[in-house]
Amino acid sequence: MGLLLPSILANAQRPHSNYVLVQSSIAQTCLPVLRRLVNHRPGSKRARTILICFLYPPSSLCEGTGDAIDILDYTGNVPGYAGTFNDPRDAILEAAKAAPAAPLNIIIDSVDTLASDLGSTSQTYQFLHALITLIRARPNPSTLILHVLAPSQLIPLLSATSFSPSLTHILAHPPVLLTHLATAYLTPPPPLSTPEKFWGVFIPFSERAYESEKLVFGPNGEGSGGIVKGELVVEVLVRGGGEGRRRTVERVLEGWADTKGGPCELNAMESLKSIWTKKAVAEEAPPDPTQNVSFNLNLTDSQQQSRAQVPLPYAHEGKPLDNQAAPAAILYDPDSADDIDDDDPDEDLDI
């Protein structure tokens, strides 16, 4: 089975998903994936992209300017600092409505910064809902791509079916998370363990953000760069927007390595090689304890025959089994202090 992430990056999903939620965390950024989404979404030669920057400067995301991409830079529009804060919502909506009648990609980095600037989670949600409604009215393949930094109050709202029935959720995890689960919980990623067992351990562990932060920034942590820079684990969740049986959810775990051009298999990542090396060593045949000793531990054929003829000292060896059950009985051995006689113990009572 091929990788799912390349088809998402190439905007070639079937059926097309018009909503992508890219999730970073303090322990692992998803910036390489977001950068690829900005610069490599062909979909259609007539498609246009509006990049809206609140967190990272445009130079961190866009490889170059072109006729097919419009940049709205709000990184310097910060409330409370010198100058007057301008609410960017009307300008963004006007730019989206003024775009030519062709497929349109709107990319926002990041919605948490926008919510912080507006000072309201509900107003941010309403604005994003207006954007996705505008995207749905556009011809395919039009996409709304939102970058969010976990933990965030917006994640449950933006991943709910009420916001969008269809969803492509891309989450970044540090590679040390998988090595920790493989060693501490004996649960390596599939196919080294069953998907049911792995996801049952991985999902609740990864949702506790402090666990990943401790693995990365703790006393024995690897730091934000990791052992191998440019590598991260990508969790991809795709939710269909159909009704009934057509509504399906697919969840996969894939790798990302800058040295390999981006998406790759997990076993191709340098930072995860220890997982597959330990598995290969465990599958090797155990060493023969009779080798390289100064005496012979093996038996000859005659010795094995003689050993087989030795009667075993079992209590019922050679005796037929009695299939008839013995009648139940109580056997009592009186103690020396017991006063046992046939007299009536109550004969002195006048009853």
Side-chain angles (χ1 to χ4, degrees), residues 89 111 114-126 154:
R89 290 176 290 178
V111 293
L114 173 61
S116 177
D117 292 345
L118 297 178
S120 173
T121 301
S122 61
Q123 292 183 18
T124 305
Y125 177 83
Q126 294 173 5
L154 285 167

Side-chain angles (χ1 to χ4, degrees), residues 316 319-327:
H316 302 286
K319 294 182 180 180
L321 297 177
D322 187 5
N323 294 330
Q324 296 181 354

Side-chain angles (χ1 to χ4, degrees), residues 43 51 66 74 102-103 123 132 145 152 188 242 304 330:
L51 174 62
Y74 293 101
Q123 292 183 18
I132 198 170
I145 303 174
S152 170
Q304 292 180 356
I330 298 177

Side-chain angles (χ1 to χ4, degrees), residues 3-82:
L3 295 174
L4 183 59
L5 195 55
S7 63
I8 297 174
L9 298 175
N11 207 11
Q13 289 177 270
R14 296 292 185 269
H16 170 71
S17 176
N18 56 15
Y19 175 45
V20 179
L21 182 62
V22 181
Q23 180 175 326
S24 297
S25 66
I26 298 176
Q28 180 63 64
T29 180
C30 204
L31 190 60
V33 181
L34 182 62
R35 188 181 296 113
R36 184 71 62 88
L37 287 170
V38 172
N39 297 283
H40 301 278
R41 290 189 67 77
S44 172
K45 294 182 179 180
R46 300 182 298 111
R48 295 190 62 84
T49 297
I50 299 178
L51 174 62
I52 307 164
C53 298
F54 291 97
L55 180 60
Y56 292 101
S59 58
S60 300
L61 298 172
C62 190
E63 295 178 354
T65 58
D67 296 335
I69 184 169
D70 299 323
I71 299 176
L72 301 179
D73 186 5
Y74 293 101
T75 54
N77 188 29
V78 182
Y81 286 84

